[in-house]
Structure formats: C-alpha cells, structure tokens
Amino acid sequence: MLDAIERARQEIVLEMYWIGADVVGARFRDRLAMRARDGVAVFVIYDGIGSLGLFRSFWKPLTRAGGHVIENGPVAPWRRSFRVTRLPFRDHRKILVVDGEVGFCGGLNLARPWLPREEGGANWRDDVIEVHGPASRELRALACESWHRLGQDGPRAEPEQRTELAPRVRVLANRISARPNRLIRRSYLLAIRRARSSVDIASPYFLPGPLFLNALRGARKRGVRVRVLVPGKSDVRLVSLAMLGVVDKLVREDIEVYAYRRSILHAKTAILDGRFVVIGSHNLDAFSWRFDLEANVVVDDEAFGAEVGASFEEDLAHASRLDLDAIGARPGPTRVLAWMAARFRAFL
C-alpha cells in the first residue's frame, strides 16, 4: 500500500475505519503529506469510533500540505456534525485507491496491531486483496459516494456509466440507509447454498444469525465440507464468549471449527468450492449486516482460489480443531456465560 502511494501520479483516496495514533498511522499520514506536497490530490475518510484515539491535530501535516481529511460520525457532542442517531452507523471499510487504477480492500487497518512483532506490533493475521483496472474504479466510486454522503467536496465522481468488470471480479458494498442493505449477505448465502464440495470461512467475529447458520447446516447435509476458522483468543472478550456459544452448536452438528492460535485472527475471508473467494471488511455479525459501511471483493477464479486456499490451509496448521471433549472440558460458568452471550449476539 505504501509502494502504491509512492507511485501515485494524480490522486490517492483512502477510506479507513481505524487509523492509529501510532507509528503506523503516522507513517501513512506522512507519506500522504509528502505526495500532497508533490501535487497529488489526497482524500482521507476515517471513522470517529474506529479511530477514537485520533486527535484532529494528528492530520495537520497532511492538511497543511493540501490534503483533504474528513471524519465519519464524530462522537464529540460539541462538533457540528455530531448526530446521536447516527452513532451506530459506522464506516467500517478499509479501502485505498491510487489513480483510479490500483485498489486495495480487506480487513487490515492502519494501526500498530498489524505490525510484525519484531517491529513492536502484535502480528495480527489479516487479508487484503489488490485489484487493478475496473474493480479499483468501483472501489473509488464507493469512496466518492461516502464523501458526497458527508456533504463534503471530495474526489470528483466519474460520470455515471456501467463499469464493465471482468466476469470473475465483483465489488460488493453495504450502504447506510433506513433499511439494512442486504447485498453482501445475500451473496454470501447464495454462494453457500450453491456450494458443491467445500466452504472455508475465516472470521474474527463469527456471530451470524439463524439464516446464515442454517445455510451452513444445509451445505453440510448435502455432503459439503464446511470449515470455520475463528480466533483462539479474540481482541474483544465478550465477542469471544458469544462465539463459543455459536460454534459449539456447529461442532455438535459435525461442522469443522478451528481456533487460530498463532496471533489474533482478523481476516474476513471465504473460499467456496476452491475457486469462489471473498475478501473484505464485512464481519459475520449483526453490525456488519445492519449498520456498517462495508466493502468486499469477490473473485471467481480457480488459480486465485488455490492461492487463497493454500493460505487458509497454512492458517489451519496454526490452529486447533474444537471437538466435543474440548467443549465439555470448559468450566460450567464459562459455558453458561457463552450461552447467554450468544443469545444477545445481535447487539455485539
């Protein structure tokens, strides 16, 4: 991503949930400021809750260089743009687009936890996909839409026209509206229901509702191998408890569930039938379904599916499979708390 920013000639658009007030956030800010001084148009959207520790003064090097920065959903009541009714609606996307030709989309935020341990980070496990051409312009269009929604002059939107994506590449997005946008969920469910041989899912916050869980059960009953990779230790304790309550039921129904042990799992990735790949920011939880701005890239390609599948297999090598013995060995209070948290997962 830093290399793409370095090669920018005309424009850089960044839409990011969490930008850390740390060495990573500063590294990207300073690189963006340098390119702004070179005459490149720079536009940044960050989320008020995702980047809660970020003071507005953090952006002075960029804005003084001519860059443009806007905060989505500030949480400070004294800000003119503060709206208490908008607090649940977050911009959870992680998008970078350079010159409308190179785009990045995934689960990675620009903060210290994603640094390797030898650089002082926590080495969180995550996935990002890099796209070129029409798919990157689709990602850019999403960012332009966000600027327009916030009532700001941002990157100039391209004239409305049907973008001809390669048949094997699609960009899917959730949008904030009075009614939940279900495009990503429908696409997920359709892919699971059409799966013939395998469904592999990596999810840091695996808290889906009954419809999604029933789709996984249906796939397993059809003879599809279903594997779900979740964090062995989540960065959110209550979510970790709720996930136990969800995955325990899947284990009892002969669905393979693995707990990743190497570090914190944050990837939001799926591979179906070894060729249909989903990578993006969308979590399998109620907030991503109902409230958050999200973006996923879907690729239907056997070679790419094999590459992502190999990465998934490597992750499984650093995970332990959950079984009935492991479930039964948990202390009684933990099982009770997990059951209760799972019942309220729609609010987590």
Side-chain angles (χ1 to χ4, degrees):
M1 294 170 76
L2 287 167
D3 287 345
I5 290 171
E6 185 69 29
R7 294 192 298 268
R9 302 183 304 276
Q10 297 176 332
E11 179 193 74
I12 301 166
V13 179
L14 178 67
E15 185 174 3
M16 187 64 53
Y17 177 66
W18 178 4
I19 298 178
D22 54 35
V23 62
V24 178
R27 184 181 302 170
F28 274 83
R29 177 204 60 196
D30 293 345
R31 188 68 58 87
L32 292 170
M34 181 181 70
R35 298 318 327 275
R37 287 193 293 271
D38 293 337
V40 176
V42 177
F43 301 92
V44 176
I45 300 174
Y46 69 100
D47 188 77
I49 286 184
S51 306
L52 191 59
L54 205 63
F55 293 103
R56 298 182 74 184
S57 59
F58 174 88
W59 294 109
K60 283 185 178 179
L62 175 56
T63 55
R64 287 172 176 169
H68 308 273
V69 181
I70 187 170
E71 180 181 5
N72 174 78
V75 296
W78 55 86
R79 297 276 296 280
R80 290 180 59 186
S81 54
F82 173 80
R83 298 290 184 276
V84 68
T85 57
R86 306 305 293 173
L87 285 178
F89 300 94
R90 312 316 310 172
D91 189 339
H92 195 247
R93 293 172 182 162
K94 292 91 174 170
I95 293 173
L96 170 68
V97 183
V98 175
D99 292 334
E101 288 298 325
V102 181
F104 299 84
C105 178
L108 182 143
N109 292 286
L110 304 184
R112 185 187 295 273
W114 283 264
L115 277 180
R117 288 193 176 91
E118 56 268 24
E119 295 184 37
N123 197 39
W124 283 17
R125 170 70 182 87
D126 222 325
D127 283 333
V128 177
I129 183 170
E130 178 181 345
V131 295
H132 293 249
S136 67
R137 290 189 284 277
E138 287 284 302
L139 292 174
R140 181 185 182 277
L142 293 179
C144 290
E145 186 179 272
S146 295
W147 276 87
H148 178 74
R149 177 180 55 82
L150 295 172
Q152 299 291 323
D153 292 330
R156 185 187 307 172
E158 297 293 331
E160 287 193 18
Q161 58 183 5
R162 185 174 179 179
T163 304
E164 294 296 333
L165 295 181
R168 296 188 298 273
V169 181
R170 295 180 63 200
V171 174
L172 302 180
N174 274 15
R175 291 172 171 84
I176 292 176
S177 60
R179 299 177 59 188
N181 183 306
R182 305 182 187 278
L183 176 61
I184 292 179
R185 184 172 74 167
R186 288 200 306 267
S187 299
Y188 246 121
L189 290 172
L190 183 61
I192 293 172
R193 289 165 179 165
R194 288 179 173 177
R196 296 171 179 262
S197 59
S198 63
V199 173
D200 293 328
I201 295 174
S203 176
Y205 314 110
F206 185 74
L207 300 172
L211 200 62
F212 192 93
L213 293 175
N214 286 336
L216 293 181
R217 294 185 184 105
R220 186 68 194 94
K221 290 177 180 178
R222 296 195 309 271
V224 175
R225 183 191 65 187
V226 179
R227 299 184 295 182
V228 178
L229 180 66
V230 297
K233 180 181 179 181
S234 174
D235 59 312
V236 183
R237 174 59 178 164
L238 190 56
V239 168
S240 185
L241 273 173
M243 279 194 293
L244 289 179
V246 173
V247 301
D248 285 1
K249 295 179 67 176
L250 296 183
V251 170
R252 297 179 191 278
E253 295 169 359
D254 198 30
I255 290 176
E256 299 178 38
V257 180
Y258 295 84
Y260 187 72
R261 304 295 185 187
R262 195 175 193 181
S263 63
I264 297 293
L265 175 73
H266 197 260
K268 306 105 168 32
T269 301
I271 313 104
L272 299 98
D273 291 341
R275 62 174 300 148
F276 187 85
V277 179
V278 181
I279 297 175
S281 65
H282 196 286
N283 290 311
L284 299 178
D285 63 8
F287 274 81
S288 281
W289 294 136
R290 300 181 58 192
F291 298 114
D292 294 343
L293 282 174
E294 305 284 6
N296 282 3
V297 175
V298 179
V299 180
D300 184 5
D301 181 82
E302 189 171 345
F304 185 66
E307 182 177 346
V308 180
S311 177
F312 186 84
E313 297 294 340
E314 183 179 347
D315 290 337
L316 292 186
H318 299 284
S320 56
R321 182 174 176 178
L322 302 183
D323 56 24
L324 295 178
D325 290 339
I327 294 173
R330 293 193 191 114
T334 299
R335 294 201 299 270
V336 172
L337 288 173
W339 181 88
M340 293 176 61
R343 303 286 77 74
F344 291 94
R345 63 185 182 275
F347 302 99
L348 300 180

